[in-house]
Amino acid sequence: MKIAIFASGNGSNFQAIVEAVKEGKLDSEISFLFCDNPQAFVVERAQQLDIPTIVFSPKDFCSKEVYEAELLQRLTEKNIQLVVLAGYMRIIGSTLLETFTNRIINIHPSLLPQFPGCYGIKEAFEAGVKETGVTIHYVDDGVDTGPIIKQEKVLVDQNDTLETLATKIHQIEHRLYPEVLAEIINQNEGAVTG
Ligand code: GRF
């Protein structure tokens, strides 16, 4: 299975997935990282991990459609089968969704449909919930609304701060994302050979 990972920032989930491939836990090829922000730390991680990187910004294009058409071409020419969003801070538009229906996956740091958007951990913490978690889902045209593939809960302790809660959530993400990708890949390969 050929995978492209899209990320905009830190890239710890990107690194966890690449390491799972290198450790033989995920039977796939990370063909490239796409990053929409040249300053993002994930670009450095990709260089260190020896993953080809494509970097451009929507600002370089006259419209979102033209930006996504360029991305689609890059995906097509590399025969990418699955797009994995790992902290990619943009809404996927119809140009990509139509071609990659049910083949774009996202991870979100809350128990969706609670706390969608950019501040899932902070909003859950400030709401004082007793439990929050991680959701992995297919991407549709909404914000964190697509069909849920897997969720894992995290208990919020009385002693948790926003930072300790964020650390617990990221630890789960780094294990769960490669595990779920491995399940999806195995199911797909079963469907092809079975
Ligand atoms: C993660 O918490 C992920 O759930 C969310 O964005 C964050 C990305 O973190 N979509 P990183 O860039 O992988 O470190």
Side-chain angles (χ1 to χ4, degrees):
M1 171 89 58
K2 294 183 111 194
I3 293 178
I5 301 179
F6 288 13
S8 304
N10 175 33
S12 66
N13 281 283
F14 163 79
Q15 181 158 347
I17 296 165
V18 172
E19 284 172 354
V21 172
K22 287 184 195 278
E23 289 163 12
K25 294 179 186 159
L26 190 54
D27 184 16
S28 55
E29 176 190 323
I30 308 302
S31 300
F32 63 84
L33 165 77
F34 170 67
C35 183
D36 58 336
N37 171 13
Q39 317 302 333
F41 185 55
V42 69
V43 175
E44 246 174 74
R45 291 191 198 252
Q47 279 159 3
Q48 275 158 21
L49 292 161
D50 220 10
I51 300 293
T53 305
I54 297 171
V55 184
F56 55 78
S57 157
K59 284 184 266 169
D60 307 331
F61 297 83
C62 63
S63 70
K64 179 161 178 166
E65 287 71 28
V66 180
Y67 163 72
E68 285 205 343
E70 174 68 24
L71 263 175
L72 186 56
Q73 194 190 326
R74 303 298 189 106
L75 295 169
T76 311
E77 72 194 12
K78 293 283 179 202
N79 296 315
I80 300 300
Q81 294 157 286
L82 192 67
V83 173
V84 172
L85 308 186
Y88 179 64
M89 302 304 284
R90 293 185 188 279
I91 307 293
I92 302 286
S94 56
T95 307
L96 285 176
L97 273 179
E98 278 165 18
T99 309
F100 276 83
T101 311
N102 291 330
R103 292 194 292 142
I104 308 179
I105 291 169
N106 184 41
I107 189 165
H108 183 79
S110 77
L111 295 177
L112 291 173
Q114 288 185 300
F115 310 112
C118 294
Y119 305 104
I121 303 175
K122 187 166 184 275
E123 286 177 4
F125 183 75
E126 286 174 356
V129 295
K130 297 268 181 296
E131 61 180 28
T132 179
V134 173
T135 303
I136 295 171
H137 65 98
Y138 290 107
V139 172
D140 66 7
D141 58 2
V143 178
D144 302 321
T145 51
I148 290 171
I149 303 168
K150 192 154 246 173
Q151 293 189 303
E152 193 166 310
K153 287 179 184 169
V154 177
L155 296 178
V156 185
D157 295 332
Q158 270 188 338
N159 298 333
D160 267 326
T161 61
L162 179 58
E163 289 69 32
T164 61
L165 179 61
T167 301
K168 288 200 280 193
I169 286 181
H170 294 313
Q171 278 170 352
I172 289 178
E173 289 187 323
H174 299 161
R175 172 182 47 76
L176 195 64
Y177 216 0
E179 275 177 17
V180 168
L181 291 172
E183 282 170 24
I184 290 170
I185 287 161
N186 290 340
Q187 279 163 14
N188 258 277
E189 282 169 2
V192 172
T193 54

